[in-house]
Amino acid sequence: MTTAVCPGSFDPVTVGHVDIIKRAAKMFDRVIVAVLINMDKKPWFTIDERLEFLRKATEGIDNVEIVSFNGLLVDFAAANGADVIVRGLRAVSDFEYEFQMTLTNNKLNPEIETVFLTSSAENMYLSSSIVKQVGVMGGDVSPFVPHCVLDEIISRIKQRSKVL
Ligand code: PNS
């Protein structure tokens, strides 16, 4: 059985993330979506919200689990029996950061391979930062986030923009 980890901050989940998770779920027996708790960049959404949005957005995909993690990704992967790390790759700008992470992870644990899935053409430009930036300025984020969590994401962004 091949287990893959899809790690990220998911602050918040986008339709681009869901696309990568769905495609990974077709390729691997078990997919663990691992949400980083303590990020350098202060998250807008709490860990519970980020987990909840992902759970709703991936409901019905039987081989996908949503969990949080702290510490080194390779340690989390090894402790959970994962052989593969899956990352979505968008435009060229992602490459340097992803390459650095992959080589670091490979040095830390050469047993765990990183696999990249190229973003779908329609999600090439999309990121959680874009969602927050558009949302806080009152723009329409409905094309960017899963429909089932749209209202919750909008309401949280509105609360946030009041305190900014
Ligand atoms: O969605 P993101 O913010 O690009 O995800 C980044 C993430 C969570 C994959 C990365 O920050 C990570 O793996 N953090 C855990 C700490 C770690 O293992 N660092 C060493 C590899 S650089």
Side-chain angles (χ1 to χ4, degrees):
M1 179 164 110
T2 315
T3 299
V5 178
C6 274
S9 357
F10 303 102
D11 187 45
V13 62
T14 68
V15 291
H17 293 133
V18 176
D19 176 53
I20 297 292
I21 295 166
K22 281 185 175 162
R23 286 159 56 200
K26 286 187 190 154
M27 296 171 65
F28 301 101
D29 300 307
R30 179 178 171 225
V31 173
I32 306 171
V33 178
V35 186
L36 184 64
I37 300 174
N38 283 333
M39 296 149 54
D40 292 340
K41 23 183 184 174
K42 260 224 138 306
W44 279 31
F45 296 86
T46 66
I47 185 63
D48 288 339
E49 286 167 338
R50 287 181 280 143
L51 291 169
E52 173 72 7
F53 296 159
L54 274 160
R55 286 197 182 111
K56 285 188 178 166
T58 58
E59 211 173 277
I61 315 174
D62 291 341
N63 59 338
V64 170
E65 296 157 40
I66 313 291
V67 299
S68 58
F69 83 105
N70 246 336
L72 286 178
L73 175 60
V74 287
D75 290 347
F76 171 85
N80 287 275
D83 328 283
V84 176
I85 294 167
V86 174
R87 292 284 289 171
L89 201 58
R90 293 166 301 186
V92 182
S93 53
D94 274 349
F95 188 77
E96 203 173 317
Y97 171 58
E98 295 297 336
F99 203 74
Q100 189 180 32
M101 272 205 299
T102 301
L103 293 181
T104 307
N105 286 334
N106 189 258
K107 207 52 154 181
L108 293 170
N109 188 338
E111 297 301 312
I112 298 172
E113 282 292 347
T114 298
V115 166
F116 292 106
L117 296 183
T118 48
S119 157
S120 306
E122 62 270 29
N123 298 325
M124 209 68 174
Y125 63 94
L126 187 53
S127 68
S128 299
S129 308
I130 289 282
V131 172
K132 290 180 280 198
Q133 198 180 103
V134 171
V136 86
M137 308 232 174
D140 178 16
V141 296
S142 63
F144 310 140
V145 299
H147 188 69
C148 58
V149 292
L150 174 66
D151 290 345
E152 287 164 273
I153 288 178
I154 291 174
S155 127
R156 281 287 286 107
I157 292 177
K158 275 188 185 154
Q159 277 173 22
R160 167 104 193 178
S161 37
K162 277 186 206 144
V163 293
L164 281 181

